[in-house]
Amino acid sequence: MPVNLVAPEARSLLPVAGVELGVAEAHVRKPNRKDVLVVKLADGTRVSGVFTLNRFCAAPVLICKQHLAAGTGIRALLVNTGNANAGTGNDGLARAQQTCEALATALQCQPEQILPFSTGVIMEPLPAERIIAGLPQAIANLKADNWADAAEAIMTTDIVAKGVSRQLEIGGNTVTVTGIAKGSGMIHPNMATMLGYIATDAAVSQPALDALIQHAVNRSFNCITVDGDTSTNDALVLLATGQAGHAELTEADADYLALREAVTEVAMLLAQAIVRDGEGATKFMTIQVEAGQDEAECRQIAYAIAHSPLIKTAFFASDPNLGRILAAIGYAGVADLDVSKLKLYLGDVLVAEQGGRAASYVEADGAAVMQQAEILVRVVLGRGEASARVWTCDFSYDYVKINADYRS
Amino acid sequence: MPVNLVAPEARSLLPVAGVELGVAEAHVRKPNRKDVLVVKLADGTRVSGVFTLNRFCAAPVLICKQHLAAGTGIRALLVNTGNANAGTGNDGLARAQQTCEALATALQCQPEQILPFSTGVIMEPLPAERIIAGLPQAIANLKADNWADAAEAIMTTDIVAKGVSRQLEIGGNTVTVTGIAKGSGMIHPNMATMLGYIATDAAVSQPALDALIQHAVNRSFNCITVDGDTSTNDALVLLATGQAGHAELTEADADYLALREAVTEVAMLLAQAIVRDGEGATKFMTIQVEAGQDEAECRQIAYAIAHSPLIKTAFFASDPNLGRILAAIGYAGVADLDVSKLKLYLGDVLVAEQGGRAASYVEADGAAVMQQAEILVRVVLGRGEASARVWTCDFSYDYVKINADYRS
């Protein structure tokens, strides 16, 4: 069961001027479910994307990068679920290109003005003809207040649809930021995986938009892990239609910082939603590492904790098994770490210091924290000013069940 | 259930001249089980050890390193289960030292001639007084043909005791190599963890012995993973009593290579036994990465596969879920990897090439391989001559059960 996560009400996902969304039941893999999404963008919309670093990146990821590099402006996104078009070689590229051509014809633009995204089973040929056959239905229901349907259309094994909106004022105009995402692990069973779309009607210069997405992703999607696996298809796209009516923002503007904060918050909540809906998750954990020499070592330690199957099963069992956390800190790879100087907290409870259990610690206090659905693990390294934070979930029987049974 | 692993028959573990072993039921943590082992070494025995790189290394590991550095010769090993004496700070060091002093007094040697080892629960004070009280019993039953009892005495959550012997001829003399090990994960629930002891009556110079253990560990204990966690207590010790009657070997001797091969084989079989007895293991997997530019990148890819919970659950389910393996290869961090050049085999079955599924592949062939208890995953990178091999096991419901329930 997702941890403290419910699907957003349709009316809570606010339209973004210049963005229309339409969905179709195209039977990509299964009948009777929304599995194709078209997002139509007003002319002049600026687009920035970050994509998986996996060397086996999927065909649509390669094409997205090409089309963004072409610089002719993006007019639509085309997303399908049910098939990831990953591990499909040249044939996969050709099929993805066919879907772009079909949508470009329908929308009267160029194929390189379409960004394709696929999520679903790996190593199966993309049924391009079924996606293309579904396009008229998706185009027919294009509308601005369709974000909730869109959030649902991009789900794969997600239990709950994920979306969030924020508004702010810029130069007397109301600016909206709305985002949706899917994923319930950094990688799924044999699914591939994390997709996120955040749109705003703010006007932002391209360099500022590129900086903004990097800032937001570093504080959101790059801070989560369910199982440590990095998907072949991960993608986050930030769209700025420029229709809010204010002057274009650059990084030097004070309003840019306000927009950046709103977009980062939307990204963070979407990323956290992915962890809350993590496969088999019963707990939501924040791993916070403080007082390190630099952010890199803090992240290294946070991820060592967040990736340890031993720690994640202990959280599932509500077992305050501190030795496992100390061991993970110890093997994280910070070579000159002086373990006698660090402090470990579970919630507010000091559990370890001076290389061992804190004198004040009693197991009942740790156990009380471990019973909670949201748990903070704090490591204070005592060697600097840097910090990092990672969100993850526990590791349950259901994780094994979901991943062992998925294809059968 | 352990995968193709049975406890060694007592008579199959051959005595090593100059080594006597005695065990005691000292009630370190639980009554009525062998939990203390004393290994007494003939004067002049050469000792070499490799220890965990975990920064939170346990008190006995620190003391072992000090005592080996003292260079006064090692006369005995003292091993306890039930308590790891890790995460115990200065108090842990003092307690470990007390046990060394007590054994040194009993054996009429110096405390720095004792190497202490502990395995068991982390962050609990070592009951030094109970271990010391058990020493007379262990010393009373010191004998050369006690390896099977010793293998049993060092078990924690191991299901099966682990030991193996080999013999070879050096200069007309029979030389024996006998080893025992414990561990059923690189780290246990809240146990700490892998211990290995290999003894030979060969005569080997200290530099050659140090080189030998490094060679052996790199091809054995450094090639296994159950859950990717590195323990605070891991230790492997190689003992050479020099009583076989031949002249002392240096690295230049041809016979040194024969000995190295025998010791490496013993180490490899012990390491594999740990994986076969891996927590919840139902399958034994060999991950072999070939034709890489260097061994490091081959190991990187092999470990990415061996550590992926997604792949390990797929093996548990006998699901030939190739996309997960390709994804792991892709995210292993080999930045310039050309995925279109690699080939992936399950056993003898070619499953992927040219960036996607092999044309000849049918799922029934992959499924047949996945049904087996011992599975070879072969990745041929097509970019060089180097290779690496890693052994691991699958990830089952029982892994979660063992690790979630252990302390309750």
Side-chain angles (χ1 to χ4, degrees), chain A residues 53-56 87-89 122-125 187-190 227-230 232 279 308-310 313-314 316-317 319-324 326-327 329-331 334-339 342 351-352 354-357 363 395-397 399-401 403-407, chain B residues 53-56 87-89 122-125 187-190 227-230 232 279 308-310 313-314 316-317 319-324 326-327 329-331 334-339 342 351-352 354-357 363 395-397 399-401 403-407:
Chain A
L53 296 175
N54 196 307
R55 292 298 302 166
F56 251 106
T88 48
I122 296 182
M123 290 185 78
E124 301 279 345
I187 189 173
H188 257 303
N190 54 350
D227 47 26
D229 284 49
T230 304
T232 51
E279 293 168 341
S308 162
L310 288 172
T313 47
F316 169 57
D319 178 2
N321 198 321
L322 311 172
R324 296 185 191 180
L326 295 184
I329 295 168
Y331 70 66
V334 179
D336 61 348
L337 186 68
D338 181 350
V339 299
L342 68 82
V351 296
Q354 296 177 330
R357 178 159 32 191
E363 183 144 329
F395 217 26
S396 68
Y397 292 112
Y399 178 86
V400 179
K401 185 170 162 60
N403 285 293
D405 295 354
Y406 177 74
R407 299 211 327 175
Chain B
L53 297 176
N54 196 309
R55 294 296 304 166
F56 250 104
T88 48
I122 296 182
M123 290 184 77
E124 302 279 345
I187 190 174
H188 258 303
N190 54 350
D227 48 27
D229 283 48
T230 305
T232 51
E279 291 168 342
S308 162
L310 288 173
T313 47
F316 169 57
D319 178 2
N321 198 323
L322 311 172
R324 296 184 192 180
L326 295 185
I329 296 168
Y331 71 66
V334 179
D336 61 347
L337 186 68
D338 181 349
V339 299
L342 67 82
V351 296
Q354 295 177 331
R357 177 159 32 190
E363 183 145 329
F395 218 27
S396 68
Y397 291 113
Y399 177 86
V400 179
K401 185 171 163 59
N403 286 294
D405 294 354
Y406 178 72
R407 297 210 328 177

Side-chain angles (χ1 to χ4, degrees), chain A residues 342-391:
Chain A
L342 68 82
K343 292 186 202 296
L344 172 65
Y345 294 84
L346 271 184
D348 293 334
V349 180
L350 174 66
V351 296
E353 62 180 341
Q354 296 177 330
R357 178 159 32 191
S360 59
Y361 177 69
V362 292
E363 183 144 329
D365 292 344
V369 175
M370 294 296 272
Q371 293 292 340
Q372 296 160 15
E374 312 238 346
I375 298 171
L376 172 66
V377 177
R378 253 181 87 210
V379 183
V380 182
L381 297 177
R383 53 193 248 132
E385 303 292 322
S387 67
R389 198 164 49 167
V390 163
W391 297 288

Side-chain angles (χ1 to χ4, degrees), chain B residues 177-341:
Chain B
V177 180
T178 294
I180 58 174
K182 61 86 44 176
S184 67
M186 280 301 275
I187 190 174
H188 258 303
N190 54 350
M191 311 294 286
T193 294
M194 197 287 289
L195 296 177
Y197 305 96
I198 301 176
T200 178
D201 48 5
V204 192
S205 76
Q206 189 67 43
L209 194 71
D210 295 341
L212 204 172
I213 192 173
Q214 205 55 60
H215 179 96
V217 81
N218 284 344
R219 284 154 186 79
S220 58
F221 296 99
N222 282 351
C223 300
I224 62 173
T225 177
V226 169
D227 48 27
D229 283 48
T230 305
S231 153
T232 51
N233 292 50
D234 289 346
L236 175 71
V237 172
L238 180 58
L239 312 162
T241 64
Q243 304 211 343
H246 62 85
E248 185 171 273
L249 300 176
T250 68
E251 285 187 76
D253 291 305
D255 284 331
Y256 170 77
L257 296 182
L259 177 68
R260 191 175 75 172
E261 193 178 331
V263 171
T264 301
E265 188 187 355
V266 167
M268 191 184 75
L269 291 170
L270 291 174
Q272 290 182 354
I274 288 175
V275 172
R276 292 178 185 282
D277 199 1
E279 291 168 342
T282 75
K283 305 242 168 103
F284 179 82
M285 278 121 66
T286 302
I287 317 292
Q288 193 164 312
V289 179
E290 304 169 15
Q293 280 181 1
D294 53 41
E295 195 184 324
E297 71 175 28
C298 294
R299 281 178 73 85
Q300 216 172 319
I301 289 172
Y303 270 113
I305 296 171
H307 284 161
S308 162
L310 288 173
I311 293 172
K312 291 158 84 82
T313 47
F315 276 95
F316 169 57
S318 301
D319 178 2
N321 198 323
L322 311 172
R324 296 184 192 180
I325 302 177
L326 295 185
I329 296 168
Y331 71 66
V334 179
D336 61 347
L337 186 68
D338 181 349
V339 299
S340 72
K341 288 200 178 137

Side-chain angles (χ1 to χ4, degrees), chain B residues 136-162:
Chain B
Q137 187 192 343
I139 291 167
N141 72 38
L142 279 168
K143 51 190 176 185
D145 63 349
N146 222 358
W147 283 94
D149 263 9
E152 206 183 306
I154 62 173
M155 288 167 67
T156 51
T157 60
D158 304 60
I159 296 173
V160 170
K162 299 163 184 72

